[in-house]
Amino acid sequence: MADEKLIVDFWDVGQGDCSVVRLPDNSLVIIDVGPRTSPLIDWLQEKPRRIHSIVITHNDADHAGGLPALVKLPGLTIGTVYMLEDRNKTDEQFINIFRAVREEQKKGRFNVIRLETDRLIWESATKGLDLIAIYPSFSENIEAMKPNETSAILCLRQKGKVGIIWPGDAPMQIVAEKCNGLTPSILTGPHHGGPVDRKKKDFKTWVAAMQPERLFVSVGTKRNYNLPAPAYLSQRAGHGCRVVCSQLTKHCDNEQVNKDLPVLQTAALLGLRPPRSGTPCRGCLRVTVSETEIITDAYDAEHQNRVEKLRRPLCLGK
Amino acid sequence: MEFEVQDWGIKMDCLQLPELPRELARRFMFLLSAAENEQLTEKDQADWVKISDYIDFRQFSVDRSPPRYQEGFLQTNKEKFIVVWHDGTRESLPPKAARALGDINAGERFSAHVKLGKNDETIGLERVSLLGATSEPAMEDWSAWPTKS
């Protein structure tokens, strides 16, 4: 059987998170859908697509806010929505975001299933590639005190080796416990490059527990809650990790942000759609995943050249 | 005599100058389509990187995007129409967009297809429907949701 390949797009959705995995049969697994204004919706509206599954790492609005628009799109077929419980279900925002999801579920458009450890989202015919949740277990989910503490951690594995990790907004302590010793090709965030426990004394040890080759930080120029955290990016870069952020922040180049000059418009270059706010830096990132390797899109060198001209790019550890 | 448009990969006869805007638009559309279908050649890819620096891709996408489904709560319709969207964002609607909410009372929940502009601002609403009283969604039993399998 031919080597099956996946295309993974890490989207620039402004402040939020969204990745799209294109499976060998061209159906999609969407990992977080981004905020209410997510450009993913614009892209999906343009032509009908088959969605194998939607996985929501946790129910914050910057990860799940685009769900009502997505599930109400005509012409889409959706297999399964995976989500977990991370807050009281009387929470008004939770009810408002998921009302449309329940409505469409009741019509039989898709199943909604609890996301928990060992949940296999997808695996290839050869079983050489799979996407699986490694956190939280049912008890870890219900024992968590805050939504971020129970954010799901997803792994894309190549012949059992972890290639990409999506930890959502999970604390670094939990990421370190679950991914200790791993050397994935790509790690996202967590928490938009500012892990929630970054002020704890053992933080540096937790960061060092896993050594990704590349860090993709999905962060918005606007409403970014002072993310990403310079010290975190600096530590990652110091370990030889290639750090890229979806959007530019004022830390990196205030003047370029004020002029709203994109560093590179990868949404256009990759045929995707841009967010309506913020100044793209790397913008989107695309990788092709086979059982043995992960290859990034053709725009790395151009982006790197341009980043070096910024005033104080956080991604270079300056 | 011929001229060449720097970075765009376009060569034309000087007599065809009036056709230039059309040729630029065609080159842009060709490259975007090739990018969407992953059919860019190396030369196209190099051109596309340069061309993307000249274009306002965000405005292009905003203009091209159809309205999307959203749910909201009309907080007030007195001097301003202020809406709280389903994600908790509070927005004061511009008068042109607010007109579509003329039949909604303050305190009511609604769904609409919303045209978003730059900076995530609402620029138009259509297909407005009532969703029922504010407390209604909370009356449903969410306790066993989502299911285990």
Side-chain angles (χ1 to χ4, degrees):
Chain A
M1 191 174 288
D3 190 10
E4 292 181 291
K5 287 186 177 161
L6 307 176
I7 309 282
V8 183
D9 288 331
F10 300 88
W11 279 66
D12 172 10
V13 293
Q15 179 57 37
D17 256 317
C18 174
S19 299
V20 176
V21 182
R22 198 184 327 148
L23 304 178
D25 68 355
N26 271 328
S27 64
L28 310 174
V29 176
I30 300 172
I31 301 172
D32 288 332
V33 299
R36 172 177 58 89
T37 55
S38 176
L40 176 74
I41 306 302
D42 302 323
W43 183 72
L44 289 171
Q45 288 198 100
E46 293 196 6
K47 58 180 168 183
R49 294 170 203 269
R50 280 179 301 124
I51 297 179
H52 174 281
S53 46
I54 299 168
V55 187
I56 304 296
T57 59
H58 65 299
N59 304 324
D60 281 354
D62 57 343
H63 295 249
L67 261 179
L70 201 162
V71 300
K72 289 287 183 179
L73 277 179
L76 283 186
T77 58
I78 302 173
T80 307
V81 176
Y82 294 97
M83 61 176 289
L84 41 71
E85 291 185 56
D86 65 353
R87 65 200 70 202
N88 193 319
K89 287 198 194 132
T90 55
D91 180 282
E92 196 180 332
Q93 192 175 301
F94 173 85
I95 290 170
N96 289 337
I97 287 179
F98 289 96
R99 198 204 66 79
V101 180
R102 274 196 89 170
E103 191 171 272
E104 294 304 303
Q105 179 198 9
K106 282 179 184 168
K107 291 178 191 168
R109 280 193 66 197
F110 46 77
N111 294 322
V112 181
I113 293 178
R114 181 187 290 278
L115 180 63
E116 56 190 37
T117 307
D118 292 335
R119 178 74 75 185
L120 187 64
I121 309 295
W122 172 84
E123 72 177 340
S124 63
T126 59
K127 301 191 188 298
L129 291 168
D130 63 24
L131 180 63
I132 190 166
I134 62 164
Y135 178 83
S137 65
F138 182 70
S139 57
E140 286 166 331
N141 185 197
I142 58 174
E143 282 168 5
M145 302 297 283
K146 294 177 183 169
N148 287 339
E149 288 176 8
T150 187
S151 174
I153 302 176
L154 300 174
C155 292
L156 178 62
R157 300 186 301 195
Q158 305 161 282
K159 290 187 173 172
K161 179 188 180 294
V162 172
I164 303 177
I165 300 176
W166 288 268
D169 285 357
M172 189 52 74
Q173 183 179 7
I174 292 172
V175 178
E177 279 169 18
K178 302 296 172 183
C179 305
N180 190 18
L182 297 180
T183 54
S185 294
I186 302 175
L187 169 71
T188 65
H191 196 246
H192 318 285
V196 288
D197 49 356
R198 62 186 178 275
K199 290 185 180 158
K200 298 210 170 151
K201 71 176 174 54
D202 291 330
F203 181 71
K204 283 189 172 180
T205 312
W206 298 330
V207 172
M210 183 208 344
Q211 301 288 346
E213 290 169 22
R214 179 188 291 261
L215 179 71
F216 181 81
V217 174
S218 182
V219 67
T221 303
K222 294 178 180 172
R223 292 191 220 119
N224 61 11
Y225 311 103
N226 289 323
L227 300 172
Y232 174 59
L233 299 201
S234 178
Q235 191 182 347
R236 284 278 179 230
H239 288 157
C241 175
R242 173 85 188 269
V243 178
V244 292
C245 298
S246 57
Q247 295 198 347
L248 202 56
T249 66
K250 289 193 171 187
H251 292 285
C252 304
D253 198 319
N254 196 19
E255 200 180 326
Q256 187 145 350
V257 166
N258 288 338
K259 289 180 182 167
D260 195 16
L261 281 177
V263 175
L264 194 62
Q265 300 213 63
T266 40
L269 302 177
L270 296 170
L272 304 176
R273 292 291 170 265
R276 290 172 170 75
S277 65
T279 308
C281 186
R282 184 51 163 88
C284 311
L285 169 71
R286 172 171 291 168
V287 297
T288 305
V289 183
S290 69
E291 288 183 6
T292 51
E293 57 183 359
I294 295 184
I295 300 170
T296 55
D297 62 48
Y299 304 110
D300 257 356
E302 183 66 31
H303 177 248
Q304 186 72 11
N305 288 340
R306 295 180 181 207
V307 160
E308 282 168 7
K309 291 173 190 153
L310 297 174
R311 293 176 66 135
R312 303 177 291 171
L314 288 176
C315 56
L316 301 185
K318 290 180 182 174
Chain B
M1 204 186 331
E2 270 196 338
F3 69 92
E4 182 174 354
V5 186
Q6 196 184 343
D7 297 340
W8 284 73
I10 295 175
K11 274 186 189 171
M12 293 174 77
D13 192 290
C14 287
L15 293 173
Q16 291 179 304
L17 187 61
E19 290 290 309
L20 180 59
R22 184 171 180 273
E23 287 305 313
L24 292 173
R26 283 177 55 78
R27 180 76 177 139
F28 166 74
M29 287 192 296
F30 169 82
L31 290 169
L32 179 59
S33 173
E36 285 172 343
N37 295 303
E38 294 164 64
Q39 290 171 344
L40 288 170
T41 64
E42 267 188 46
K43 164 80 169 66
D44 286 343
Q45 211 166 55
D47 282 353
W48 195 210
V49 168
K50 292 177 198 157
I51 290 169
S52 68
D53 289 336
Y54 297 115
I55 56 173
D56 188 346
F57 188 59
R58 175 171 295 156
Q59 188 63 57
F60 170 80
S61 299
V62 163
D63 292 345
R64 182 166 146 139
S65 301
R68 62 177 60 198
Y69 180 88
Q70 289 188 186
E71 295 182 3
F73 166 73
L74 181 59
Q75 200 168 54
T76 177
N77 56 4
K78 294 274 193 258
E79 287 169 15
K80 289 178 176 175
F81 276 71
I82 297 175
V83 164
V84 181
W85 295 114
H86 61 255
D87 64 346
T89 307
R90 192 168 174 270
E91 184 179 14
S92 177
L93 299 181
K96 194 178 158 196
R99 252 178 256 144
L101 294 182
D103 296 333
I104 306 293
N105 293 329
E108 287 182 329
R109 297 184 70 251
F110 63 93
S111 68
H113 282 74
V114 179
K115 175 80 177 166
L116 295 170
K118 270 188 174 178
N119 294 317
D120 302 329
E121 287 165 358
T122 297
I123 55 177
L125 288 96
E126 58 184 57
R127 287 177 272 169
V128 176
S129 295
L130 266 174
L131 281 176
T134 329
S135 58
E136 197 174 291
M139 300 295 282
E140 268 197 89
D141 180 14
W142 292 72
S143 59
W145 193 82
T147 55
K148 282 277 280 177
S149 60

